[in-house]
Amino acid sequence: MELTVIDSLDQVSGADFDRLDSSAGSAACYERTRQREHDGRWRCRYLRATEHGRLTALIPLYTASGRAWPDPVYDPSGWQLPPAVRDDYAAGNCLLVGGFADLRTGFAVADQAREPAVLRELLAAIARIAAEQDRCLVFPYHFPDARQALDEAAGALIGWALLGREGQLRGVSEPGWHAGMRAGVRYNLRH
């Protein structure tokens, strides 16, 4: 497996990226991930893994641009983490792996690269990047299957915390599904 660090999704085909993981739907698709590159609150790089010329992983790595967290919700010191993993979580000390947008993110790693030995190699490369920058690793907003793969690869060294509950909209495909909602809610859903 060949590992490189790239600075933009422009260096990768959208179809190749979207093929890696669709678990988060449009929230983690190529175009939305690419849009996040232009959020001035964050600097973004990607760990790219290829095997025999085929993209097998493209993991976004985010660092905060400023000294303070862009929003308190991103600050891991406020999360319910186990005492064993608490540390200095100042914005300048963290490398966020996978996402920052306080919603579930995809895990752009192909199924064959989620095997513990392969994923361990990817995690070691990410850890080296973090160590070069003197940063700790933060894995926010991952779905359970990605968390399980990360745990198996890391030997359960990652401390996880529940950050909030997800909501579901039921009946969205039914005609007039939003008619009973308040005007403000309908406005927000449309936008």
Side-chain angles (χ1 to χ4, degrees):
M1 182 166 44
E2 181 183 333
L3 301 176
T4 56
V5 176
I6 62 173
D7 293 322
S8 175
L9 274 182
D10 291 337
Q11 297 173 264
V12 176
S13 136
D16 287 345
F17 179 80
D18 288 338
R19 175 184 50 77
L20 296 174
D21 181 41
S22 62
S23 63
S26 63
C29 73
Y30 177 84
E31 287 301 325
R32 283 294 289 145
T33 303
R34 194 167 160 268
Q35 285 175 344
R36 289 188 191 104
E37 290 180 14
H38 304 292
D39 185 332
R41 300 172 301 170
W42 302 93
R43 287 185 296 270
C44 180
R45 297 171 75 199
Y46 302 87
L47 176 66
R48 176 175 58 187
T50 56
E51 196 162 11
H52 308 296
R54 185 173 168 89
L55 185 67
T56 57
L58 191 67
I59 303 171
L61 307 172
Y62 298 101
T63 55
S65 295
R67 293 175 175 243
W69 288 102
D71 186 307
V73 74
Y74 303 129
D75 185 354
S77 67
W79 301 348
Q80 298 298 315
L81 292 169
V85 296
R86 291 180 199 230
D87 202 347
D88 179 14
Y89 289 112
N93 296 347
C94 296
L95 176 68
L96 278 66
V97 179
F100 69 80
D102 82 347
L103 50 92
R104 298 283 183 176
T105 186
F107 189 54
V109 177
D111 289 339
Q112 70 271 20
R114 290 185 184 209
E115 295 299 319
V118 178
L119 191 51
R120 195 172 300 118
E121 187 177 342
L122 294 173
L123 287 174
I126 293 168
R128 281 191 296 274
I129 292 166
E132 289 168 2
Q133 300 174 12
D134 197 26
R135 296 177 186 269
C136 67
L137 295 175
V138 178
F139 297 87
Y141 318 115
H142 289 287
F143 281 107
D145 63 327
R147 287 195 312 262
Q148 181 179 349
L150 288 163
D151 267 341
E152 288 172 6
L157 292 174
I158 301 172
W160 298 102
L162 179 65
L163 299 179
R165 299 275 181 210
E166 291 184 32
Q168 294 182 349
L169 290 174
R170 298 193 196 303
V172 187
S173 60
E174 302 296 323
W177 67 275
H178 59 349
M181 297 178 185
R182 294 188 327 263
V185 172
R186 288 193 313 268
Y187 173 84
N188 285 329
L189 289 171
R190 279 195 309 272
H191 287 82

